[in-house]
PDB file of all heavy atoms in Angstrom:
ATOM      1  N   VAL F   1       0.832  -1.267   0.010  1.00  0.00           N
ATOM      2  CA  VAL F   1      -0.064   0.137  -0.051  1.00  0.00           C
ATOM      3  C   VAL F   1       0.832   1.181  -0.042  1.00  0.00           C
ATOM      4  O   VAL F   1       1.978   1.235   0.565  1.00  0.00           O
ATOM      5  CB  VAL F   1      -0.985  -0.024   1.195  1.00  0.00           C
ATOM      6  CG1 VAL F   1      -0.219   0.133   2.512  1.00  0.00           C
ATOM      7  CG2 VAL F   1      -2.091   1.190   1.052  1.00  0.00           C
ATOM      8  N   GLN F   2       0.383   2.306  -0.532  1.00  0.00           N
ATOM      9  CA  GLN F   2       1.190   3.592  -0.554  1.00  0.00           C
ATOM     10  C   GLN F   2       0.963   4.310   0.830  1.00  0.00           C
ATOM     11  O   GLN F   2      -0.063   4.026   1.471  1.00  0.00           O
ATOM     12  CB  GLN F   2       0.670   4.500  -1.638  1.00  0.00           C
ATOM     13  CG  GLN F   2       1.043   4.043  -2.970  1.00  0.00           C
ATOM     14  CD  GLN F   2       0.639   5.135  -4.097  1.00  0.00           C
ATOM     15  OE1 GLN F   2      -0.310   5.836  -3.826  1.00  0.00           O
ATOM     16  NE2 GLN F   2       1.321   5.026  -5.186  1.00  0.00           N
ATOM     17  N   ALA F   3       1.954   5.078   1.093  1.00  0.00           N
ATOM     18  CA  ALA F   3       2.030   5.805   2.308  1.00  0.00           C
ATOM     19  C   ALA F   3       0.603   6.587   2.439  1.00  0.00           C
ATOM     20  O   ALA F   3       0.294   7.202   1.444  1.00  0.00           O
ATOM     21  CB  ALA F   3       3.213   6.757   2.425  1.00  0.00           C
ATOM     22  N   GLY F   4      -0.047   6.604   3.551  1.00  0.00           N
ATOM     23  CA  GLY F   4      -1.300   7.330   3.709  1.00  0.00           C
ATOM     24  C   GLY F   4      -2.419   6.417   3.500  1.00  0.00           C
ATOM     25  O   GLY F   4      -3.450   6.939   3.905  1.00  0.00           O
ATOM     26  N   GLY F   5      -2.164   5.189   3.006  1.00  0.00           N
ATOM     27  CA  GLY F   5      -3.331   4.265   2.766  1.00  0.00           C
ATOM     28  C   GLY F   5      -3.633   3.538   3.939  1.00  0.00           C
ATOM     29  O   GLY F   5      -3.194   3.729   5.064  1.00  0.00           O
ATOM     30  N   SER F   6      -4.571   2.539   3.672  1.00  0.00           N
ATOM     31  CA  SER F   6      -5.070   1.803   4.839  1.00  0.00           C
ATOM     32  C   SER F   6      -5.103   0.283   4.521  1.00  0.00           C
ATOM     33  O   SER F   6      -5.200  -0.059   3.301  1.00  0.00           O
ATOM     34  CB  SER F   6      -6.555   2.184   5.140  1.00  0.00           C
ATOM     35  OG  SER F   6      -6.616   3.420   5.572  1.00  0.00           O
ATOM     36  N   LEU F   7      -5.070  -0.503   5.492  1.00  0.00           N
ATOM     37  CA  LEU F   7      -5.196  -2.044   5.428  1.00  0.00           C
ATOM     38  C   LEU F   7      -6.000  -2.570   6.541  1.00  0.00           C
ATOM     39  O   LEU F   7      -5.808  -1.863   7.746  1.00  0.00           O
ATOM     40  CB  LEU F   7      -3.768  -2.747   5.349  1.00  0.00           C
ATOM     41  CG  LEU F   7      -2.961  -2.617   3.948  1.00  0.00           C
ATOM     42  CD1 LEU F   7      -1.652  -3.285   4.169  1.00  0.00           C
ATOM     43  CD2 LEU F   7      -3.727  -3.320   2.823  1.00  0.00           C
ATOM     44  N   ARG F   8      -6.544  -3.544   6.397  1.00  0.00           N
ATOM     45  CA  ARG F   8      -7.219  -4.259   7.584  1.00  0.00           C
ATOM     46  C   ARG F   8      -6.763  -5.687   7.582  1.00  0.00           C
ATOM     47  O   ARG F   8      -6.999  -6.525   6.676  1.00  0.00           O
ATOM     48  CB  ARG F   8      -8.725  -4.180   7.413  1.00  0.00           C
ATOM     49  CG  ARG F   8      -9.612  -4.916   8.456  1.00  0.00           C
ATOM     50  CD  ARG F   8     -11.105  -4.766   8.194  1.00  0.00           C
ATOM     51  NE  ARG F   8     -11.875  -5.479   8.995  1.00  0.00           N
ATOM     52  CZ  ARG F   8     -12.469  -5.227  10.039  1.00  0.00           C
ATOM     53  NH1 ARG F   8     -12.168  -4.023  10.749  1.00  0.00           N
ATOM     54  NH2 ARG F   8     -13.282  -6.137  10.776  1.00  0.00           N
ATOM     55  N   LEU F   9      -6.103  -5.958   8.734  1.00  0.00           N
ATOM     56  CA  LEU F   9      -5.582  -7.432   8.854  1.00  0.00           C
ATOM     57  C   LEU F   9      -6.688  -8.181   9.632  1.00  0.00           C
ATOM     58  O   LEU F   9      -7.321  -7.596  10.560  1.00  0.00           O
ATOM     59  CB  LEU F   9      -4.280  -7.291   9.663  1.00  0.00           C
ATOM     60  CG  LEU F   9      -3.136  -6.502   9.124  1.00  0.00           C
ATOM     61  CD1 LEU F   9      -1.940  -6.610   9.891  1.00  0.00           C
ATOM     62  CD2 LEU F   9      -2.735  -6.901   7.624  1.00  0.00           C
ATOM     63  N   SER F  10      -6.727  -9.391   9.290  1.00  0.00           N
ATOM     64  CA  SER F  10      -7.569 -10.398  10.093  1.00  0.00           C
ATOM     65  C   SER F  10      -6.771 -11.593  10.587  1.00  0.00           C
ATOM     66  O   SER F  10      -5.811 -11.688   9.996  1.00  0.00           O
ATOM     67  CB  SER F  10      -8.686 -10.838   9.161  1.00  0.00           C
ATOM     68  OG  SER F  10      -9.549  -9.790   8.750  1.00  0.00           O
ATOM     69  N   CYS F  11      -7.201 -12.037  11.767  1.00  0.00           N
ATOM     70  CA  CYS F  11      -6.548 -13.278  12.275  1.00  0.00           C
ATOM     71  C   CYS F  11      -7.686 -14.118  12.841  1.00  0.00           C
ATOM     72  O   CYS F  11      -8.334 -13.696  13.717  1.00  0.00           O
ATOM     73  CB  CYS F  11      -5.609 -12.809  13.383  1.00  0.00           C
ATOM     74  SG  CYS F  11      -4.831 -14.227  14.243  1.00  0.00           S
ATOM     75  N   ALA F  12      -7.708 -15.382  12.278  1.00  0.00           N
ATOM     76  CA  ALA F  12      -8.819 -16.283  12.743  1.00  0.00           C
ATOM     77  C   ALA F  12      -8.202 -17.532  13.169  1.00  0.00           C
ATOM     78  O   ALA F  12      -7.284 -18.088  12.533  1.00  0.00           O
ATOM     79  CB  ALA F  12      -9.728 -16.535  11.476  1.00  0.00           C
ATOM     80  N   ALA F  13      -8.651 -18.181  14.195  1.00  0.00           N
ATOM     81  CA  ALA F  13      -8.378 -19.380  14.647  1.00  0.00           C
ATOM     82  C   ALA F  13      -8.946 -20.593  13.758  1.00  0.00           C
ATOM     83  O   ALA F  13     -10.170 -20.407  13.557  1.00  0.00           O
ATOM     84  CB  ALA F  13      -8.622 -19.655  16.192  1.00  0.00           C
ATOM     85  N   SER F  14      -8.207 -21.520  13.450  1.00  0.00           N
ATOM     86  CA  SER F  14      -8.707 -22.658  12.727  1.00  0.00           C
ATOM     87  C   SER F  14      -8.334 -23.811  13.455  1.00  0.00           C
ATOM     88  O   SER F  14      -7.397 -23.948  14.320  1.00  0.00           O
ATOM     89  CB  SER F  14      -8.114 -22.691  11.320  1.00  0.00           C
ATOM     90  OG  SER F  14      -6.796 -22.946  11.402  1.00  0.00           O
ATOM     91  N   GLY F  15      -9.113 -24.940  13.136  1.00  0.00           N
ATOM     92  CA  GLY F  15      -8.944 -26.177  13.961  1.00  0.00           C
ATOM     93  C   GLY F  15      -9.939 -26.488  14.922  1.00  0.00           C
ATOM     94  O   GLY F  15     -11.151 -26.156  14.707  1.00  0.00           O
ATOM     95  N   ARG F  16      -9.721 -26.993  16.006  1.00  0.00           N
ATOM     96  CA  ARG F  16     -10.663 -27.321  17.035  1.00  0.00           C
ATOM     97  C   ARG F  16     -11.252 -25.964  17.582  1.00  0.00           C
ATOM     98  O   ARG F  16     -10.858 -24.862  17.372  1.00  0.00           O
ATOM     99  CB  ARG F  16     -10.087 -28.080  18.191  1.00  0.00           C
ATOM    100  CG  ARG F  16      -8.980 -27.351  18.927  1.00  0.00           C
ATOM    101  CD  ARG F  16      -8.651 -28.112  20.179  1.00  0.00           C
ATOM    102  NE  ARG F  16      -7.313 -27.544  20.924  1.00  0.00           N
ATOM    103  CZ  ARG F  16      -7.518 -26.644  21.718  1.00  0.00           C
ATOM    104  NH1 ARG F  16      -8.750 -26.079  21.988  1.00  0.00           N
ATOM    105  NH2 ARG F  16      -6.462 -26.194  22.398  1.00  0.00           N
ATOM    106  N   THR F  17     -12.444 -26.155  18.251  1.00  0.00           N
ATOM    107  CA  THR F  17     -13.120 -25.043  18.834  1.00  0.00           C
ATOM    108  C   THR F  17     -12.093 -24.273  19.692  1.00  0.00           C
ATOM    109  O   THR F  17     -11.463 -24.881  20.551  1.00  0.00           O
ATOM    110  CB  THR F  17     -14.386 -25.381  19.562  1.00  0.00           C
ATOM    111  OG1 THR F  17     -15.231 -26.143  18.756  1.00  0.00           O
ATOM    112  CG2 THR F  17     -14.986 -24.231  20.268  1.00  0.00           C
ATOM    113  N   PHE F  18     -12.103 -23.056  19.607  1.00  0.00           N
ATOM    114  CA  PHE F  18     -11.059 -22.144  20.118  1.00  0.00           C
ATOM    115  C   PHE F  18     -11.667 -20.895  20.840  1.00  0.00           C
ATOM    116  O   PHE F  18     -12.410 -20.259  20.072  1.00  0.00           O
ATOM    117  CB  PHE F  18      -9.926 -21.812  19.246  1.00  0.00           C
ATOM    118  CG  PHE F  18      -8.982 -20.967  19.785  1.00  0.00           C
ATOM    119  CD1 PHE F  18      -7.881 -21.456  20.624  1.00  0.00           C
ATOM    120  CD2 PHE F  18      -8.938 -19.671  19.596  1.00  0.00           C
ATOM    121  CE1 PHE F  18      -6.915 -20.655  21.009  1.00  0.00           C
ATOM    122  CE2 PHE F  18      -7.808 -18.799  20.062  1.00  0.00           C
ATOM    123  CZ  PHE F  18      -6.906 -19.387  20.898  1.00  0.00           C
ATOM    124  N   SER F  19     -11.280 -20.584  21.882  1.00  0.00           N
ATOM    125  CA  SER F  19     -11.680 -19.362  22.579  1.00  0.00           C
ATOM    126  C   SER F  19     -10.421 -18.727  23.267  1.00  0.00           C
ATOM    127  O   SER F  19      -9.571 -19.543  23.671  1.00  0.00           O
ATOM    128  CB  SER F  19     -12.859 -19.395  23.330  1.00  0.00           C
ATOM    129  OG  SER F  19     -13.317 -18.013  23.682  1.00  0.00           O
ATOM    130  N   SER F  20     -10.405 -17.486  23.523  1.00  0.00           N
ATOM    131  CA  SER F  20      -9.253 -16.940  24.250  1.00  0.00           C
ATOM    132  C   SER F  20      -9.681 -15.891  25.211  1.00  0.00           C
ATOM    133  O   SER F  20     -10.896 -15.416  25.210  1.00  0.00           O
ATOM    134  CB  SER F  20      -8.278 -16.318  23.174  1.00  0.00           C
ATOM    135  OG  SER F  20      -8.877 -15.132  22.574  1.00  0.00           O
ATOM    136  N   TYR F  21      -8.777 -15.546  26.043  1.00  0.00           N
ATOM    137  CA  TYR F  21      -9.015 -14.450  26.989  1.00  0.00           C
ATOM    138  C   TYR F  21      -8.549 -13.077  26.397  1.00  0.00           C
ATOM    139  O   TYR F  21      -8.927 -11.970  26.715  1.00  0.00           O
ATOM    140  CB  TYR F  21      -8.197 -14.787  28.185  1.00  0.00           C
ATOM    141  CG  TYR F  21      -8.824 -15.849  29.169  1.00  0.00           C
ATOM    142  CD1 TYR F  21      -8.357 -16.994  28.890  1.00  0.00           C
ATOM    143  CD2 TYR F  21      -9.846 -15.561  30.015  1.00  0.00           C
ATOM    144  CE1 TYR F  21      -8.969 -18.167  29.736  1.00  0.00           C
ATOM    145  CE2 TYR F  21     -10.428 -16.510  30.770  1.00  0.00           C
ATOM    146  CZ  TYR F  21      -9.928 -17.840  30.698  1.00  0.00           C
ATOM    147  OH  TYR F  21     -10.440 -18.705  31.409  1.00  0.00           O
ATOM    148  N   ALA F  22      -7.594 -13.248  25.535  1.00  0.00           N
ATOM    149  CA  ALA F  22      -6.966 -12.013  24.882  1.00  0.00           C
ATOM    150  C   ALA F  22      -6.238 -12.452  23.509  1.00  0.00           C
ATOM    151  O   ALA F  22      -5.887 -13.590  23.432  1.00  0.00           O
ATOM    152  CB  ALA F  22      -5.945 -11.251  25.758  1.00  0.00           C
ATOM    153  N   MET F  23      -6.253 -11.388  22.585  1.00  0.00           N
ATOM    154  CA  MET F  23      -5.431 -11.586  21.519  1.00  0.00           C
ATOM    155  C   MET F  23      -4.756 -10.418  21.077  1.00  0.00           C
ATOM    156  O   MET F  23      -5.048  -9.351  21.523  1.00  0.00           O
ATOM    157  CB  MET F  23      -6.376 -12.036  20.169  1.00  0.00           C
ATOM    158  CG  MET F  23      -7.144 -13.355  20.375  1.00  0.00           C
ATOM    159  SD  MET F  23      -8.077 -13.873  19.138  1.00  0.00           S
ATOM    160  CE  MET F  23      -6.936 -14.307  17.864  1.00  0.00           C
ATOM    161  N   GLY F  24      -3.553 -10.513  20.370  1.00  0.00           N
ATOM    162  CA  GLY F  24      -2.825  -9.396  20.137  1.00  0.00           C
ATOM    163  C   GLY F  24      -2.149  -9.336  18.752  1.00  0.00           C
ATOM    164  O   GLY F  24      -2.125 -10.369  18.053  1.00  0.00           O
ATOM    165  N   TRP F  25      -1.497  -8.275  18.347  1.00  0.00           N
ATOM    166  CA  TRP F  25      -0.791  -8.117  17.189  1.00  0.00           C
ATOM    167  C   TRP F  25       0.575  -7.656  17.604  1.00  0.00           C
ATOM    168  O   TRP F  25       0.748  -6.744  18.351  1.00  0.00           O
ATOM    169  CB  TRP F  25      -1.373  -7.125  16.212  1.00  0.00           C
ATOM    170  CG  TRP F  25      -2.703  -7.569  15.572  1.00  0.00           C
ATOM    171  CD1 TRP F  25      -4.004  -7.264  16.018  1.00  0.00           C
ATOM    172  CD2 TRP F  25      -2.810  -8.443  14.383  1.00  0.00           C
ATOM    173  NE1 TRP F  25      -4.845  -7.891  15.128  1.00  0.00           N
ATOM    174  CE2 TRP F  25      -4.264  -8.544  14.177  1.00  0.00           C
ATOM    175  CE3 TRP F  25      -1.983  -8.951  13.507  1.00  0.00           C
ATOM    176  CZ2 TRP F  25      -4.636  -9.330  13.114  1.00  0.00           C
ATOM    177  CZ3 TRP F  25      -2.356  -9.701  12.420  1.00  0.00           C
ATOM    178  CH2 TRP F  25      -3.686  -9.794  12.296  1.00  0.00           C
ATOM    179  N   PHE F  26       1.600  -8.293  16.896  1.00  0.00           N
ATOM    180  CA  PHE F  26       2.985  -7.844  16.922  1.00  0.00           C
ATOM    181  C   PHE F  26       3.486  -7.701  15.497  1.00  0.00           C
ATOM    182  O   PHE F  26       2.936  -8.080  14.580  1.00  0.00           O
ATOM    183  CB  PHE F  26       3.870  -8.956  17.585  1.00  0.00           C
ATOM    184  CG  PHE F  26       3.545  -8.941  19.161  1.00  0.00           C
ATOM    185  CD1 PHE F  26       2.460  -9.621  19.643  1.00  0.00           C
ATOM    186  CD2 PHE F  26       4.441  -8.439  20.046  1.00  0.00           C
ATOM    187  CE1 PHE F  26       2.203  -9.618  20.933  1.00  0.00           C
ATOM    188  CE2 PHE F  26       4.205  -8.623  21.467  1.00  0.00           C
ATOM    189  CZ  PHE F  26       3.125  -9.228  21.923  1.00  0.00           C
ATOM    190  N   ARG F  27       4.538  -7.055  15.296  1.00  0.00           N
ATOM    191  CA  ARG F  27       5.185  -6.826  14.015  1.00  0.00           C
ATOM    192  C   ARG F  27       6.768  -6.934  14.145  1.00  0.00           C
ATOM    193  O   ARG F  27       7.299  -6.682  15.247  1.00  0.00           O
ATOM    194  CB  ARG F  27       4.677  -5.638  13.363  1.00  0.00           C
ATOM    195  CG  ARG F  27       5.301  -4.352  14.173  1.00  0.00           C
ATOM    196  CD  ARG F  27       4.810  -3.099  13.413  1.00  0.00           C
ATOM    197  NE  ARG F  27       5.256  -1.854  13.987  1.00  0.00           N
ATOM    198  CZ  ARG F  27       4.773  -0.618  13.657  1.00  0.00           C
ATOM    199  NH1 ARG F  27       3.889  -0.471  12.739  1.00  0.00           N
ATOM    200  NH2 ARG F  27       5.387   0.409  14.271  1.00  0.00           N
ATOM    201  N   GLN F  28       7.357  -7.351  12.997  1.00  0.00           N
ATOM    202  CA  GLN F  28       8.781  -7.452  12.984  1.00  0.00           C
ATOM    203  C   GLN F  28       9.347  -6.892  11.599  1.00  0.00           C
ATOM    204  O   GLN F  28       9.068  -7.482  10.639  1.00  0.00           O
ATOM    205  CB  GLN F  28       9.245  -8.862  13.153  1.00  0.00           C
ATOM    206  CG  GLN F  28      10.795  -8.999  13.232  1.00  0.00           C
ATOM    207  CD  GLN F  28      11.269 -10.356  13.772  1.00  0.00           C
ATOM    208  OE1 GLN F  28      10.436 -11.469  13.658  1.00  0.00           O
ATOM    209  NE2 GLN F  28      12.445 -10.324  14.345  1.00  0.00           N
ATOM    210  N   ALA F  29      10.020  -5.815  11.750  1.00  0.00           N
ATOM    211  CA  ALA F  29      10.664  -5.189  10.557  1.00  0.00           C
ATOM    212  C   ALA F  29      11.990  -5.996  10.351  1.00  0.00           C
ATOM    213  O   ALA F  29      12.620  -6.438  11.263  1.00  0.00           O
ATOM    214  CB  ALA F  29      10.778  -3.830  10.702  1.00  0.00           C
ATOM    215  N   PRO F  30      12.511  -5.880   9.091  1.00  0.00           N
ATOM    216  CA  PRO F  30      13.803  -6.552   8.773  1.00  0.00           C
ATOM    217  C   PRO F  30      14.872  -6.001   9.603  1.00  0.00           C
ATOM    218  O   PRO F  30      15.032  -4.754   9.847  1.00  0.00           O
ATOM    219  CB  PRO F  30      13.951  -6.217   7.240  1.00  0.00           C
ATOM    220  CG  PRO F  30      12.595  -6.007   6.758  1.00  0.00           C
ATOM    221  CD  PRO F  30      11.867  -5.385   7.866  1.00  0.00           C
ATOM    222  N   GLY F  31      15.642  -6.885  10.309  1.00  0.00           N
ATOM    223  CA  GLY F  31      16.796  -6.556  11.056  1.00  0.00           C
ATOM    224  C   GLY F  31      16.492  -6.033  12.467  1.00  0.00           C
ATOM    225  O   GLY F  31      17.227  -5.722  13.241  1.00  0.00           O
ATOM    226  N   LEU F  32      15.075  -5.981  12.852  1.00  0.00           N
ATOM    227  CA  LEU F  32      14.739  -5.583  14.161  1.00  0.00           C
ATOM    228  C   LEU F  32      14.074  -6.538  14.979  1.00  0.00           C
ATOM    229  O   LEU F  32      13.520  -7.599  14.421  1.00  0.00           O
ATOM    230  CB  LEU F  32      13.773  -4.345  13.909  1.00  0.00           C
ATOM    231  CG  LEU F  32      14.352  -3.035  13.183  1.00  0.00           C
ATOM    232  CD1 LEU F  32      13.311  -1.913  13.086  1.00  0.00           C
ATOM    233  CD2 LEU F  32      15.574  -2.561  13.949  1.00  0.00           C
ATOM    234  N   ALA F  33      13.918  -6.404  16.289  1.00  0.00           N
ATOM    235  CA  ALA F  33      13.177  -7.172  16.987  1.00  0.00           C
ATOM    236  C   ALA F  33      11.618  -7.142  16.841  1.00  0.00           C
ATOM    237  O   ALA F  33      11.182  -6.102  16.469  1.00  0.00           O
ATOM    238  CB  ALA F  33      13.486  -7.078  18.502  1.00  0.00           C
ATOM    239  N   ARG F  34      11.023  -8.130  17.185  1.00  0.00           N
ATOM    240  CA  ARG F  34       9.491  -8.091  16.994  1.00  0.00           C
ATOM    241  C   ARG F  34       9.038  -7.074  18.123  1.00  0.00           C
ATOM    242  O   ARG F  34       9.577  -7.263  19.333  1.00  0.00           O
ATOM    243  CB  ARG F  34       8.923  -9.503  17.234  1.00  0.00           C
ATOM    244  CG  ARG F  34       7.453  -9.566  17.048  1.00  0.00           C
ATOM    245  CD  ARG F  34       7.036 -11.066  16.553  1.00  0.00           C
ATOM    246  NE  ARG F  34       7.393 -12.003  17.509  1.00  0.00           N
ATOM    247  CZ  ARG F  34       7.189 -13.303  17.315  1.00  0.00           C
ATOM    248  NH1 ARG F  34       6.632 -13.745  16.182  1.00  0.00           N
ATOM    249  NH2 ARG F  34       7.438 -14.226  18.171  1.00  0.00           N
ATOM    250  N   GLU F  35       8.069  -6.365  17.837  1.00  0.00           N
ATOM    251  CA  GLU F  35       7.500  -5.275  18.687  1.00  0.00           C
ATOM    252  C   GLU F  35       5.984  -5.501  18.826  1.00  0.00           C
ATOM    253  O   GLU F  35       5.301  -5.817  17.941  1.00  0.00           O
ATOM    254  CB  GLU F  35       7.878  -3.899  18.372  1.00  0.00           C
ATOM    255  CG  GLU F  35       7.304  -3.358  17.105  1.00  0.00           C
ATOM    256  CD  GLU F  35       7.464  -1.925  16.953  1.00  0.00           C
ATOM    257  OE1 GLU F  35       7.990  -1.283  17.687  1.00  0.00           O
ATOM    258  OE2 GLU F  35       6.997  -1.296  15.822  1.00  0.00           O
ATOM    259  N   PHE F  36       5.485  -5.111  19.953  1.00  0.00           N
ATOM    260  CA  PHE F  36       4.116  -5.098  20.233  1.00  0.00           C
ATOM    261  C   PHE F  36       3.488  -3.942  19.474  1.00  0.00           C
ATOM    262  O   PHE F  36       4.007  -2.934  19.363  1.00  0.00           O
ATOM    263  CB  PHE F  36       3.870  -4.899  21.758  1.00  0.00           C
ATOM    264  CG  PHE F  36       2.425  -4.641  22.086  1.00  0.00           C
ATOM    265  CD1 PHE F  36       1.523  -5.632  22.082  1.00  0.00           C
ATOM    266  CD2 PHE F  36       2.009  -3.316  22.641  1.00  0.00           C
ATOM    267  CE1 PHE F  36       0.209  -5.391  22.485  1.00  0.00           C
ATOM    268  CE2 PHE F  36       0.736  -3.158  22.941  1.00  0.00           C
ATOM    269  CZ  PHE F  36      -0.101  -4.136  22.933  1.00  0.00           C
ATOM    270  N   VAL F  37       2.226  -4.282  18.870  1.00  0.00           N
ATOM    271  CA  VAL F  37       1.529  -3.365  18.238  1.00  0.00           C
ATOM    272  C   VAL F  37       0.190  -3.019  19.031  1.00  0.00           C
ATOM    273  O   VAL F  37      -0.114  -1.793  19.321  1.00  0.00           O
ATOM    274  CB  VAL F  37       1.140  -3.782  16.800  1.00  0.00           C
ATOM    275  CG1 VAL F  37       0.171  -2.905  16.175  1.00  0.00           C
ATOM    276  CG2 VAL F  37       2.309  -4.009  15.986  1.00  0.00           C
TER     277      VAL F  37
END
């Protein structure tokens, strides 16, 4: 996407019935540690 644009990420659980107490997003840029989003 170009700078200034938008994206919508999705994350879905597959497999057996699943539920959680919390979910999160992290990201990792090249050469850098993974960081919390």
Side-chain angles (χ1 to χ4, degrees):
V1 64
Q2 289 187 333
S6 298
L7 284 174
R8 179 178 167 89
L9 304 184
S10 299
C11 171
S14 65
R16 63 173 173 82
T17 301
F18 176 82
S19 185
S20 66
Y21 290 94
M23 296 183 75
W25 288 96
F26 289 75
R27 68 185 183 185
Q28 187 167 22
L32 299 178
R34 189 156 57 184
E35 69 169 355
F36 169 70
V37 176

